[in-house]
Amino acid sequence: MNFLSKMERKFGRFAISHLTAYIILTYVAGYLLYMIGAANKIDVRDWLALSPSLILQGQVWRLVSWWLIPPTGIDIFTLIMLFVYYQLGTVLERTWGDFLYNVYIFMGLFFTVIGAFVLYFTAGIDVGLMRIFFSTYYVSLSIFLGFAMTFPEQQMLFMFLIPIRIKWFAVLDVFYLLYEVLTYWRYSTTLGICVLTMVVSSLASTILFFFMSKRSFRLSRSQRKVRDNYRRQTGTERGFWKSANPAQAREPKVDRTTFAAGNRGTKIAIHHCAVCGRTELDDPNLEFRFCTKCNGNYEYCQDHLYTHNHVQ
């Protein structure tokens, strides 16, 4: 996370807020263009498609115009899909912050373009000229996978009735992607290679982002400053505990094993979750972090860092 944190400090002010809403708008614009073109017997995808050879000839708008290509026809299932992606993407924006969410999405778009050029230069396959239209379908799917990796125990209703943990939905999606690639491969090797490239390049951001953002749980200088201020304000440096929430204030926990051994010293909890009240004395493996979006110095355990309601 150190690299991403440094980048966020430098360029975080340029992040696009409400990016999920803009993604949904590109879908809407794409469907409108497609319907207008169909009414005039014109396939607008020929003008929007990601085509490396045409880009090299000067049609540079194709580097971004392919974002408007709708992945499927519009029906009730498409509307449900867009609604679900909007909800999940909005949660990720609030959880990760605008900058990290921007990096996640734009990495998927960038690697998709790279994948198309790799196909062109290595296999001589121009997906645009072959009318194999790259779209943002798999990039949008990365929103779902990102949510599943962040909140694996969150439940969703299968068929609107059966609650299933979202991590199992993600596993099913991965297997379905493999099945889809194999199906296209049996039909045509060239088509299978194109679909495999599209899937891998679009979801590369999912792999790289979580590889880069593995939490080392080392506090930065600013985080240590917030922690030290918090300790001074709550009195933990003076040998007793005062909760960040006055309603949850309690006496410090005492390590009973210390007394049983004859040592009269007491251990004072330094970390305290403002939601569940657990400390490092309850479980030495618990990790605690301060939330920078809460007004005040509120500390949370690893189970509630991303799921608590921000104090405003």
Side-chain angles (χ1 to χ4, degrees):
M1 274 300 280
N2 290 334
F3 173 75
L4 291 178
S5 297
K6 293 178 181 178
M7 295 297 290
E8 183 174 9
R9 286 195 295 269
K10 291 182 178 180
F11 306 107
R13 63 183 182 276
F14 300 112
I16 301 173
S17 300
H18 310 295
L19 181 58
T20 305
Y22 293 119
I23 294 174
I24 301 301
L25 287 177
T26 61
Y27 275 82
V28 174
Y31 284 120
L32 289 176
L33 288 174
Y34 183 75
M35 288 187 291
I36 293 173
N40 293 277
K41 298 182 179 180
I42 299 174
D43 193 343
V44 296
R45 294 177 299 178
D46 292 330
W47 295 93
L48 303 176
L50 177 59
S51 173
S53 63
L54 295 179
I55 290 173
L56 294 176
Q57 293 176 21
Q59 299 183 17
V60 293
W61 69 81
R62 295 178 181 272
L63 289 171
V64 295
S65 62
W66 65 274
W67 301 353
L68 298 174
I69 296 179
T72 58
I74 187 168
D75 51 29
I76 184 62
F77 296 104
T78 301
L79 296 177
I80 294 175
M81 178 195 70
L82 295 179
F83 177 73
V84 171
Y85 281 159
Y86 176 76
Q87 286 190 317
L88 300 184
T90 300
V91 172
L92 287 184
E93 283 184 280
R94 295 173 180 173
T95 303
W96 296 350
D98 291 338
F99 178 79
L100 294 184
Y101 186 70
N102 277 224
V103 171
Y104 184 70
I105 296 299
F106 285 112
M107 279 177 64
L109 299 173
F110 172 76
F111 281 114
T112 301
V113 175
I114 295 298
F117 275 92
V118 169
L119 273 178
Y120 178 68
F121 286 115
T122 59
I125 299 174
D126 189 318
V127 290
L129 296 182
M130 294 181 61
R131 296 182 61 80
I132 301 174
F133 300 111
F134 276 28
S135 72
T136 58
Y137 172 77
Y138 296 107
V139 177
S140 298
L141 179 61
S142 70
I143 297 176
F144 175 80
L145 296 178
F147 186 91
M149 296 179 73
T150 305
F151 304 104
E153 303 303 322
Q154 183 72 33
Q155 292 186 344
M156 294 185 68
L157 294 179
F158 177 67
M159 301 298 292
F160 302 100
L161 293 174
I162 306 173
I164 301 178
R165 286 185 174 86
I166 198 170
K167 63 182 179 182
W168 301 122
F169 278 112
V171 172
L172 289 176
D173 269 337
V174 172
F175 278 106
Y176 176 75
L177 289 176
L178 294 176
Y179 170 78
E180 188 176 30
V181 170
L182 291 177
T183 300
Y184 281 110
W185 203 292
R186 287 198 298 267
Y187 178 77
S188 169
T189 302
T190 301
L191 186 58
I193 293 174
C194 292
V195 174
L196 177 62
T197 302
M198 192 188 312
V199 171
V200 173
S201 57
S202 298
L203 298 183
S205 62
T206 304
I207 301 172
L208 291 178
F209 184 86
F210 282 94
F211 175 78
M212 295 171 61
S213 62
K214 284 183 178 179
R215 301 182 183 278
S216 62
F217 294 104
R218 293 182 297 177
L219 297 180
S220 65
R221 181 179 302 176
S222 60
Q223 290 173 324
R224 289 197 299 270
K225 183 177 180 181
V226 172
R227 179 197 62 188
D228 295 339
N229 290 336
Y230 178 68
R231 290 178 179 177
R232 285 194 293 270
Q233 293 175 11
T234 56
T236 54
E237 292 184 341
R238 297 192 295 272
F240 64 90
W241 175 260
K242 180 180 178 183
S243 174
N245 186 345
Q248 297 176 342
R250 63 178 185 175
E251 294 297 324
K253 287 197 171 186
V254 178
D255 188 352
R256 301 300 179 186
T257 59
T258 303
F259 278 97
N263 187 345
R264 297 302 176 182
T266 59
K267 291 185 178 181
I268 307 301
I270 296 177
H271 303 288
H272 179 275
C273 179
V275 174
C276 64
R278 290 184 296 176
T279 71
E280 73 275 14
L281 299 182
D282 295 307
D283 184 353
N285 295 320
L286 278 178
E287 298 289 347
F288 296 84
R289 288 293 176 268
F290 290 93
C291 179
T292 57
K293 294 186 178 181
C294 289
N295 289 336
N297 295 323
Y298 289 92
E299 190 176 26
Y300 301 93
C301 68
Q302 61 197 34
D303 295 329
H304 296 107
L305 179 60
Y306 297 114
T307 58
H308 67 273
N309 295 323
H310 296 299
V311 179
Q312 302 297 333

